[in-house]
Each structure stands twice: as C-alpha cells, then as structure tokens.
Amino acid sequence: MPELPEVETVRTGLEQAWVGRTITQLTLRREGLRFPFPEDMVNRLIGQKITRVRRRAKYLLIDTSDNLVFLSHLGMSGRYTLITPTETPRYLQVDASSNHSKFGALTGFEGRHDHMEFRFDDGSVAVYTDPRRFGIADLFDRAEEPIQPLLEHLGPEPLENWTAQDAANRCKGKRSPIKTTLLDQRFVVGVGNIYACEALHRSGISPTRPTHKLVRKDGKPTKALFELVAQVKEVLIAAIAVGGSTLNDFAAVDGTLGYFGHHFQVYDREDGPCLKEDCNGTIERIVQSNRSTFLCPRCQK
DNA sequence: CAAAGTTCCTGCGAGC
DNA sequence: TGCTCGCAGGAACTTT
C-alpha cells in the first residue's frame, strides 16, 4: 500500500483523530511485527497524550506529552482503522451479520491480523492491521531521534527543497539503473515501486539508464535529471491531493483509497497502450532488482 | 505467480 | 598473490 503520498494521507488522518487525546490502553496481540515490540512499549505509552503526528520518509512519528516518539511503519500491508465512540463502524455491522465470531467483546476488531489496539480517553479506538507483518512499531525518546538506526541514513525529503543538484551529487559514479536508485532511500525518500515507474515515464527516461549518465561531466544535473526531479515532485503532490480528498471518509485512514482513486499511467499496465499524447507505444514489464518495472520503450529513452 | 518495503548477505572488482 | 573495502544484485521476511 504505502509510498510517501499514502503515508502522508494516513498521517493527516491520524493527526486529526489523535492529537489531544490520551492513550488509556494498548493491547498487543503478538510479540512484534518485523521486529519485536520494545519490552516496555505498552507501559510507557499508557497515559501519554498525543501532541503531534509527523512523517519522515515512509515512517509515521507520533509525539507524546512526555517527549516520547512512537514510530510506525506500515510495511507493505499495514493500515489503521479508527473507530469513534459515536458511530457504529460500517464493517463491524457486516461482520456481525455473519456468524463468524471473529469480533471480540472489546472492540469487534480481533481479526487474525489485528496486531495492536489503541484505546483513547474519549472512548475512541484505533486498530493496526498488517497481514504480512512487514511493518514496524518502535518507541524512543525524542532526544534519541537523531541516532535512530531506522532514520539516520535517510536521504532528503522530495517535497522539502530537494534539488536537482542534490540529486546529481548522489547520482555521481553510480552504475546501477536509475529505477533502482529512485528506490534507494539514501538517494531520496518516500518513492516506492509505483511512483518510481510513474516518475520515469513522465520524464521520458528509461528505467534502465545508468544513473551516472544523468550527471554532466562538470557535476551538474543533465536536463533529464532536472526533469526527473520535477516529475517525482509532481507525481507525489498529485497523489497526496487524491488521498487528501478522500480523508473525510472513515475508511480512508488506511490509505488504500489513495491508490484506489489514482489511475496510473504505466504501473501494472503491461500490454496496455501508452497514455502519453501521440506516443502509441505499448507498456512493457521488466524485472529490476527482483521487482517489476513498467515502462513504455517508445517514449522512455 | 506476484505483491505497495526494507535489511542483510554474498560476490565481484578496484586498489593497496 | 592476498587482503580489504565498497558497490550492486539478490534473497529473505509473510500472507493473500
């Protein structure tokens, strides 16, 4: 599910729901996700008031009143479901009509992949669900944030003053294909497989082009690299706009609707017609670094 | 069979 | 020749 725009959409949703509320209960239904949960996470979080919800790369950072930071990464399949005390959740009704008793006494959300359940002082509940368990939950003191292993090697935020010159500096001498570089979180953060494909298509750059060829001999960005940096920003901004427009819907906090509402130009469109004006090419699928890449060989050189 | 993400391991080439 | 370093590519994690 989540690349930067989807995580940003979730961030906005959690910010609206959580800031100002105090955690009264936290239930963990397993030892951990990708990594074990910190031993004392439950005890440290109970009683904490949420003060901010930030995002760094694809990580959600939830600040609390005692300067703790709850880190949440959604991996491939993580999502949050929010239940407010006044409304009857729609899918709880659906579940209740089947005689499958997977809803428990507390919340009605005790599916096999519901790993964390937060309860707040206003009676609201949030459930973290993640079938593949590639997600991460962690807790640390705010003062330790600069030395967090998960965060310290991250590259620039693409929507915060990221420049073509910065990109050129990091592209220099790299032999790997530009698609692979786009996915490297040290080059730029937040871009995943879908938006890497989309940005390259918009830029007219072949995913297989060696990264260093996007830098001039004098170390300056080529025209193509200027274009790529611009298109990464544009595709991310457009996707955030789509996600944001769905936010009033209670189901949207899981970020899924962000992808739903978005129709891609190349991703997952193998054998389809290239949608670029006057191109008439056919979308191909290739594999790079064990991941699917979609491209139009006609307009991406 | 493939999947939106990240980390870690291995193998290779460069350089000393 | 042999060793170390860094980079690039691939496997692994897991469930639907």
Short mmCIF file of all heavy atoms in Angstrom, two decimals, chain A residues 11-59:
data_model
loop_
_atom_site.label_atom_id
_atom_site.label_comp_id
_atom_site.label_asym_id
_atom_site.label_seq_id
_atom_site.Cartn_x
_atom_site.Cartn_y
_atom_site.Cartn_z
N ARG A 11 -1.00 10.01 7.81
CA ARG A 11 -0.54 10.98 8.81
C ARG A 11 -1.61 12.04 9.09
O ARG A 11 -1.92 12.34 10.25
CB ARG A 11 0.74 11.68 8.33
CG ARG A 11 1.40 12.54 9.41
CD ARG A 11 2.31 13.60 8.82
NE ARG A 11 1.57 14.61 8.08
CZ ARG A 11 0.86 15.58 8.64
NH1 ARG A 11 0.80 15.71 9.96
NH2 ARG A 11 0.19 16.43 7.89
N THR A 12 -2.18 12.58 8.04
CA THR A 12 -3.21 13.59 8.21
C THR A 12 -4.41 13.04 8.97
O THR A 12 -4.95 13.70 9.86
CB THR A 12 -3.66 14.12 6.83
OG1 THR A 12 -2.51 14.52 6.08
CG2 THR A 12 -4.60 15.29 6.98
N GLY A 13 -4.79 11.83 8.60
CA GLY A 13 -5.93 11.21 9.28
C GLY A 13 -5.66 10.96 10.76
O GLY A 13 -6.50 11.25 11.62
N LEU A 14 -4.48 10.47 11.07
CA LEU A 14 -4.14 10.20 12.47
C LEU A 14 -4.00 11.50 13.25
O LEU A 14 -4.37 11.59 14.42
CB LEU A 14 -2.84 9.40 12.57
CG LEU A 14 -2.88 7.98 12.00
CD1 LEU A 14 -1.56 7.26 12.27
CD2 LEU A 14 -4.04 7.18 12.56
N GLU A 15 -3.47 12.52 12.59
CA GLU A 15 -3.33 13.83 13.24
C GLU A 15 -4.69 14.35 13.69
O GLU A 15 -4.88 14.77 14.83
CB GLU A 15 -2.67 14.79 12.26
CG GLU A 15 -2.44 16.18 12.81
CD GLU A 15 -1.65 17.02 11.82
OE1 GLU A 15 -2.13 17.21 10.68
OE2 GLU A 15 -0.54 17.45 12.18
N GLN A 16 -5.65 14.29 12.76
CA GLN A 16 -6.99 14.78 13.10
C GLN A 16 -7.62 13.96 14.22
O GLN A 16 -8.32 14.49 15.08
CB GLN A 16 -7.89 14.72 11.85
CG GLN A 16 -7.52 15.76 10.81
CD GLN A 16 -8.31 15.59 9.51
OE1 GLN A 16 -9.30 14.86 9.46
NE2 GLN A 16 -7.86 16.27 8.47
N ALA A 17 -7.36 12.67 14.20
CA ALA A 17 -8.02 11.79 15.16
C ALA A 17 -7.33 11.76 16.51
O ALA A 17 -7.98 11.64 17.55
CB ALA A 17 -8.10 10.37 14.59
N TRP A 18 -6.02 11.88 16.54
CA TRP A 18 -5.27 11.53 17.74
C TRP A 18 -4.74 12.71 18.55
O TRP A 18 -4.58 12.60 19.77
CB TRP A 18 -4.07 10.65 17.36
CG TRP A 18 -4.44 9.24 17.04
CD1 TRP A 18 -5.69 8.71 16.97
CD2 TRP A 18 -3.53 8.17 16.73
NE1 TRP A 18 -5.62 7.37 16.64
CE2 TRP A 18 -4.31 7.02 16.49
CE3 TRP A 18 -2.14 8.08 16.62
CZ2 TRP A 18 -3.73 5.79 16.16
CZ3 TRP A 18 -1.57 6.86 16.29
CH2 TRP A 18 -2.37 5.73 16.07
N VAL A 19 -4.41 13.82 17.89
CA VAL A 19 -3.77 14.91 18.64
C VAL A 19 -4.71 15.43 19.72
O VAL A 19 -5.88 15.72 19.45
CB VAL A 19 -3.33 16.05 17.69
CG1 VAL A 19 -2.91 17.29 18.49
CG2 VAL A 19 -2.18 15.58 16.81
N GLY A 20 -4.20 15.51 20.92
CA GLY A 20 -5.00 15.97 22.05
C GLY A 20 -5.60 14.83 22.87
O GLY A 20 -6.08 15.04 23.98
N ARG A 21 -5.60 13.63 22.29
CA ARG A 21 -6.15 12.50 23.01
C ARG A 21 -5.06 11.78 23.81
O ARG A 21 -3.89 11.81 23.45
CB ARG A 21 -6.81 11.50 22.05
CG ARG A 21 -8.08 12.07 21.44
CD ARG A 21 -8.74 11.03 20.56
NE ARG A 21 -9.83 11.64 19.80
CZ ARG A 21 -10.46 11.04 18.80
NH1 ARG A 21 -10.11 9.83 18.43
NH2 ARG A 21 -11.44 11.64 18.18
N THR A 22 -5.49 11.11 24.87
CA THR A 22 -4.57 10.38 25.73
C THR A 22 -4.82 8.88 25.59
O THR A 22 -5.97 8.43 25.57
CB THR A 22 -4.77 10.81 27.20
OG1 THR A 22 -4.44 12.20 27.31
CG2 THR A 22 -3.87 10.01 28.14
N ILE A 23 -3.73 8.14 25.48
CA ILE A 23 -3.83 6.68 25.35
C ILE A 23 -4.17 6.09 26.73
O ILE A 23 -3.45 6.32 27.70
CB ILE A 23 -2.52 6.07 24.83
CG1 ILE A 23 -2.17 6.64 23.46
CG2 ILE A 23 -2.61 4.54 24.79
CD1 ILE A 23 -0.77 6.28 22.98
N THR A 24 -5.27 5.38 26.82
CA THR A 24 -5.66 4.77 28.09
C THR A 24 -5.35 3.28 28.12
O THR A 24 -5.27 2.68 29.19
CB THR A 24 -7.16 4.97 28.36
OG1 THR A 24 -7.90 4.45 27.24
CG2 THR A 24 -7.48 6.43 28.54
N GLN A 25 -5.22 2.70 26.94
CA GLN A 25 -4.98 1.26 26.89
C GLN A 25 -4.30 0.91 25.57
O GLN A 25 -4.60 1.51 24.53
CB GLN A 25 -6.31 0.52 27.00
CG GLN A 25 -6.19 -0.92 27.44
CD GLN A 25 -7.57 -1.58 27.56
OE1 GLN A 25 -8.56 -0.92 27.90
NE2 GLN A 25 -7.64 -2.85 27.24
N LEU A 26 -3.38 -0.02 25.62
CA LEU A 26 -2.74 -0.51 24.40
C LEU A 26 -2.61 -2.02 24.51
O LEU A 26 -2.01 -2.55 25.44
CB LEU A 26 -1.35 0.13 24.22
CG LEU A 26 -0.46 -0.46 23.11
CD1 LEU A 26 -1.14 -0.43 21.75
CD2 LEU A 26 0.87 0.30 23.05
N THR A 27 -3.22 -2.70 23.57
CA THR A 27 -3.19 -4.17 23.58
C THR A 27 -2.37 -4.66 22.40
O THR A 27 -2.62 -4.27 21.26
CB THR A 27 -4.62 -4.74 23.47
OG1 THR A 27 -5.43 -4.17 24.51
CG2 THR A 27 -4.61 -6.26 23.60
N LEU A 28 -1.37 -5.49 22.67
CA LEU A 28 -0.56 -6.10 21.63
C LEU A 28 -0.96 -7.57 21.52
O LEU A 28 -1.04 -8.26 22.53
CB LEU A 28 0.93 -5.99 21.96
CG LEU A 28 1.44 -4.57 22.25
CD1 LEU A 28 2.92 -4.60 22.61
CD2 LEU A 28 1.20 -3.65 21.06
N ARG A 29 -1.21 -8.01 20.31
CA ARG A 29 -1.71 -9.38 20.16
C ARG A 29 -0.65 -10.35 19.69
O ARG A 29 -0.94 -11.50 19.38
CB ARG A 29 -2.88 -9.39 19.17
CG ARG A 29 -4.03 -8.53 19.63
CD ARG A 29 -5.36 -9.25 19.54
NE ARG A 29 -6.36 -8.51 20.26
CZ ARG A 29 -6.94 -7.41 19.80
NH1 ARG A 29 -6.63 -6.96 18.61
NH2 ARG A 29 -7.82 -6.77 20.52
N ARG A 30 0.58 -9.86 19.57
CA ARG A 30 1.70 -10.75 19.24
C ARG A 30 3.01 -10.13 19.71
O ARG A 30 3.01 -9.05 20.28
CB ARG A 30 1.75 -11.10 17.75
CG ARG A 30 1.84 -9.89 16.84
CD ARG A 30 1.79 -10.28 15.39
NE ARG A 30 2.69 -11.37 15.13
CZ ARG A 30 2.30 -12.58 14.72
NH1 ARG A 30 1.05 -12.82 14.51
NH2 ARG A 30 3.18 -13.53 14.49
N GLU A 31 4.10 -10.82 19.51
CA GLU A 31 5.40 -10.37 20.03
C GLU A 31 5.92 -9.14 19.30
O GLU A 31 6.66 -8.34 19.85
CB GLU A 31 6.43 -11.49 19.89
CG GLU A 31 6.08 -12.75 20.66
CD GLU A 31 6.22 -12.54 22.15
OE1 GLU A 31 7.35 -12.24 22.58
OE2 GLU A 31 5.21 -12.64 22.87
N GLY A 32 5.60 -9.06 18.02
CA GLY A 32 6.12 -7.95 17.25
C GLY A 32 5.67 -8.05 15.81
O GLY A 32 4.84 -8.88 15.46
N LEU A 33 6.22 -7.18 14.98
CA LEU A 33 5.91 -7.22 13.56
C LEU A 33 7.18 -7.66 12.85
O LEU A 33 7.61 -8.79 13.01
CB LEU A 33 5.43 -5.83 13.10
CG LEU A 33 4.18 -5.32 13.84
CD1 LEU A 33 3.92 -3.85 13.55
CD2 LEU A 33 2.97 -6.16 13.44
N ARG A 34 7.78 -6.76 12.11
CA ARG A 34 9.06 -7.12 11.51
C ARG A 34 10.13 -7.33 12.58
O ARG A 34 11.00 -8.18 12.48
CB ARG A 34 9.48 -6.00 10.56
CG ARG A 34 10.67 -6.37 9.76
CD ARG A 34 11.21 -5.17 9.01
NE ARG A 34 12.48 -5.54 8.45
CZ ARG A 34 12.67 -5.80 7.17
NH1 ARG A 34 11.70 -5.67 6.32
NH2 ARG A 34 13.85 -6.17 6.74
N PHE A 35 10.09 -6.48 13.61
CA PHE A 35 10.96 -6.62 14.77
C PHE A 35 10.08 -6.79 16.00
O PHE A 35 8.93 -6.36 16.00
CB PHE A 35 11.85 -5.38 14.93
CG PHE A 35 12.64 -5.03 13.71
CD1 PHE A 35 12.43 -3.81 13.06
CD2 PHE A 35 13.59 -5.91 13.19
CE1 PHE A 35 13.17 -3.48 11.92
CE2 PHE A 35 14.33 -5.58 12.06
CZ PHE A 35 14.11 -4.36 11.43
N PRO A 36 10.64 -7.35 17.08
CA PRO A 36 9.86 -7.46 18.32
C PRO A 36 9.48 -6.07 18.83
O PRO A 36 10.24 -5.11 18.65
CB PRO A 36 10.83 -8.14 19.30
CG PRO A 36 11.90 -8.76 18.45
CD PRO A 36 11.99 -7.93 17.20
N PHE A 37 8.30 -5.95 19.42
CA PHE A 37 7.94 -4.69 20.06
C PHE A 37 8.90 -4.44 21.22
O PHE A 37 9.33 -5.40 21.89
CB PHE A 37 6.52 -4.78 20.63
CG PHE A 37 5.45 -4.96 19.59
CD1 PHE A 37 4.57 -6.03 19.65
CD2 PHE A 37 5.30 -4.04 18.55
CE1 PHE A 37 3.56 -6.20 18.71
CE2 PHE A 37 4.30 -4.20 17.59
CZ PHE A 37 3.43 -5.29 17.68
N PRO A 38 9.25 -3.18 21.49
CA PRO A 38 10.07 -2.89 22.68
C PRO A 38 9.35 -3.39 23.94
O PRO A 38 8.13 -3.25 24.06
CB PRO A 38 10.15 -1.35 22.69
CG PRO A 38 9.88 -0.94 21.29
CD PRO A 38 8.93 -1.97 20.72
N GLU A 39 10.12 -3.94 24.85
CA GLU A 39 9.58 -4.55 26.07
C GLU A 39 8.56 -3.67 26.79
O GLU A 39 7.50 -4.10 27.18
CB GLU A 39 10.73 -4.84 27.04
CG GLU A 39 11.66 -5.96 26.63
CD GLU A 39 11.33 -7.26 27.35
OE1 GLU A 39 10.71 -7.17 28.43
OE2 GLU A 39 11.67 -8.33 26.81
N ASP A 40 8.97 -2.42 26.98
CA ASP A 40 8.20 -1.52 27.85
C ASP A 40 7.27 -0.61 27.06
O ASP A 40 6.78 0.38 27.60
CB ASP A 40 9.18 -0.68 28.68
CG ASP A 40 10.22 0.01 27.80
OD1 ASP A 40 10.21 -0.24 26.57
OD2 ASP A 40 11.02 0.79 28.33
N MET A 41 7.02 -0.93 25.81
CA MET A 41 6.25 -0.01 24.97
C MET A 41 4.85 0.27 25.54
O MET A 41 4.42 1.41 25.59
CB MET A 41 6.13 -0.56 23.54
CG MET A 41 5.47 0.42 22.59
SD MET A 41 5.66 -0.02 20.86
CE MET A 41 4.40 -1.26 20.66
N VAL A 42 4.18 -0.75 25.97
CA VAL A 42 2.81 -0.59 26.47
C VAL A 42 2.82 0.31 27.71
O VAL A 42 2.09 1.31 27.77
CB VAL A 42 2.17 -1.95 26.79
CG1 VAL A 42 0.85 -1.76 27.52
CG2 VAL A 42 1.97 -2.74 25.51
N ASN A 43 3.66 -0.02 28.67
CA ASN A 43 3.66 0.75 29.92
C ASN A 43 4.07 2.20 29.71
O ASN A 43 3.53 3.11 30.35
CB ASN A 43 4.61 0.10 30.94
CG ASN A 43 3.98 -1.13 31.55
OD1 ASN A 43 2.75 -1.27 31.55
ND2 ASN A 43 4.82 -2.04 32.03
N ARG A 44 4.99 2.42 28.79
CA ARG A 44 5.44 3.78 28.56
C ARG A 44 4.40 4.61 27.83
O ARG A 44 4.31 5.81 28.00
CB ARG A 44 6.76 3.79 27.78
CG ARG A 44 7.93 3.21 28.57
CD ARG A 44 9.22 3.30 27.78
NE ARG A 44 9.81 4.64 27.85
CZ ARG A 44 10.81 5.06 27.07
NH1 ARG A 44 11.33 4.24 26.17
NH2 ARG A 44 11.29 6.28 27.19
N LEU A 45 3.60 3.97 26.98
CA LEU A 45 2.64 4.73 26.17
C LEU A 45 1.33 5.03 26.90
O LEU A 45 0.67 6.03 26.63
CB LEU A 45 2.36 4.00 24.86
CG LEU A 45 3.37 4.24 23.73
CD1 LEU A 45 3.02 3.41 22.50
CD2 LEU A 45 3.42 5.74 23.35
N ILE A 46 0.97 4.15 27.82
CA ILE A 46 -0.29 4.39 28.53
C ILE A 46 -0.18 5.66 29.36
O ILE A 46 0.80 5.89 30.06
CB ILE A 46 -0.65 3.18 29.41
CG1 ILE A 46 -1.11 2.04 28.50
CG2 ILE A 46 -1.75 3.52 30.41
CD1 ILE A 46 -1.41 0.75 29.21
N GLY A 47 -1.18 6.51 29.23
CA GLY A 47 -1.17 7.80 29.92
C GLY A 47 -0.57 8.93 29.11
O GLY A 47 -0.64 10.10 29.51
N GLN A 48 0.01 8.60 27.96
CA GLN A 48 0.63 9.63 27.13
C GLN A 48 -0.43 10.32 26.27
O GLN A 48 -1.29 9.67 25.66
CB GLN A 48 1.69 9.02 26.21
CG GLN A 48 2.90 8.51 26.95
CD GLN A 48 3.67 9.61 27.62
OE1 GLN A 48 4.07 10.59 26.98
NE2 GLN A 48 3.87 9.49 28.92
N LYS A 49 -0.31 11.64 26.21
CA LYS A 49 -1.17 12.44 25.34
C LYS A 49 -0.45 12.67 24.01
O LYS A 49 0.76 12.97 24.00
CB LYS A 49 -1.45 13.78 26.02
CG LYS A 49 -2.41 14.69 25.31
CD LYS A 49 -2.65 15.89 26.22
CE LYS A 49 -3.50 16.95 25.60
NZ LYS A 49 -3.73 18.04 26.59
N ILE A 50 -1.16 12.51 22.92
CA ILE A 50 -0.55 12.72 21.60
C ILE A 50 -0.48 14.21 21.32
O ILE A 50 -1.48 14.92 21.40
CB ILE A 50 -1.38 12.04 20.49
CG1 ILE A 50 -1.68 10.58 20.84
CG2 ILE A 50 -0.67 12.16 19.15
CD1 ILE A 50 -0.50 9.68 20.91
N THR A 51 0.73 14.68 20.99
CA THR A 51 0.89 16.11 20.74
C THR A 51 1.07 16.45 19.26
O THR A 51 0.72 17.53 18.81
CB THR A 51 2.10 16.66 21.52
OG1 THR A 51 3.26 15.90 21.19
CG2 THR A 51 1.84 16.56 23.02
N ARG A 52 1.67 15.54 18.51
CA ARG A 52 1.89 15.78 17.08
C ARG A 52 1.94 14.45 16.35
O ARG A 52 2.32 13.43 16.93
CB ARG A 52 3.25 16.47 16.83
CG ARG A 52 3.28 17.95 17.09
CD ARG A 52 4.68 18.49 16.78
NE ARG A 52 4.92 18.68 15.36
CZ ARG A 52 6.12 19.06 14.86
NH1 ARG A 52 7.15 19.25 15.66
NH2 ARG A 52 6.26 19.23 13.56
N VAL A 53 1.63 14.48 15.06
CA VAL A 53 1.85 13.31 14.21
C VAL A 53 2.67 13.78 13.02
O VAL A 53 2.21 14.58 12.21
CB VAL A 53 0.52 12.68 13.73
CG1 VAL A 53 0.80 11.46 12.86
CG2 VAL A 53 -0.35 12.30 14.91
N ARG A 54 3.91 13.30 12.96
CA ARG A 54 4.83 13.71 11.89
C ARG A 54 5.07 12.55 10.94
O ARG A 54 4.71 11.41 11.20
CB ARG A 54 6.18 14.13 12.49
CG ARG A 54 6.11 15.39 13.37
CD ARG A 54 7.46 15.67 14.00
NE ARG A 54 7.80 14.67 15.01
CZ ARG A 54 9.01 14.13 15.18
NH1 ARG A 54 10.01 14.49 14.40
NH2 ARG A 54 9.23 13.24 16.12
N ARG A 55 5.71 12.89 9.82
CA ARG A 55 6.15 11.86 8.88
C ARG A 55 7.58 12.13 8.46
O ARG A 55 7.96 13.29 8.24
CB ARG A 55 5.27 11.85 7.61
CG ARG A 55 5.70 10.80 6.57
CD ARG A 55 4.98 10.98 5.24
NE ARG A 55 5.19 12.31 4.67
CZ ARG A 55 6.32 12.73 4.13
NH1 ARG A 55 7.36 11.92 4.05
NH2 ARG A 55 6.44 13.95 3.67
N ARG A 56 8.41 11.08 8.44
CA ARG A 56 9.76 11.18 7.86
C ARG A 56 9.89 9.99 6.93
O ARG A 56 9.74 8.84 7.37
CB ARG A 56 10.82 11.13 8.97
CG ARG A 56 12.25 11.02 8.47
CD ARG A 56 12.75 12.37 7.91
NE ARG A 56 14.16 12.31 7.58
CZ ARG A 56 14.64 12.33 6.33
NH1 ARG A 56 13.84 12.40 5.29
NH2 ARG A 56 15.94 12.30 6.12
N ALA A 57 10.12 10.28 5.66
CA ALA A 57 10.13 9.21 4.65
C ALA A 57 8.80 8.46 4.72
O ALA A 57 7.74 9.09 4.70
CB ALA A 57 11.33 8.28 4.83
N LYS A 58 8.82 7.15 4.86
CA LYS A 58 7.56 6.41 4.97
C LYS A 58 7.27 6.06 6.43
O LYS A 58 6.42 5.21 6.70
CB LYS A 58 7.63 5.13 4.12
CG LYS A 58 7.87 5.42 2.63
CD LYS A 58 8.21 4.16 1.84
CE LYS A 58 8.63 4.54 0.41
NZ LYS A 58 9.25 3.38 -0.29
N TYR A 59 7.96 6.71 7.35
CA TYR A 59 7.73 6.46 8.77
C TYR A 59 6.77 7.48 9.36
O TYR A 59 6.90 8.68 9.09
CB TYR A 59 9.05 6.54 9.55
CG TYR A 59 10.05 5.47 9.20
CD1 TYR A 59 11.00 5.69 8.21
CD2 TYR A 59 10.04 4.24 9.86
CE1 TYR A 59 11.92 4.70 7.87
CE2 TYR A 59 10.97 3.25 9.54
CZ TYR A 59 11.91 3.49 8.55
OH TYR A 59 12.82 2.52 8.21
#
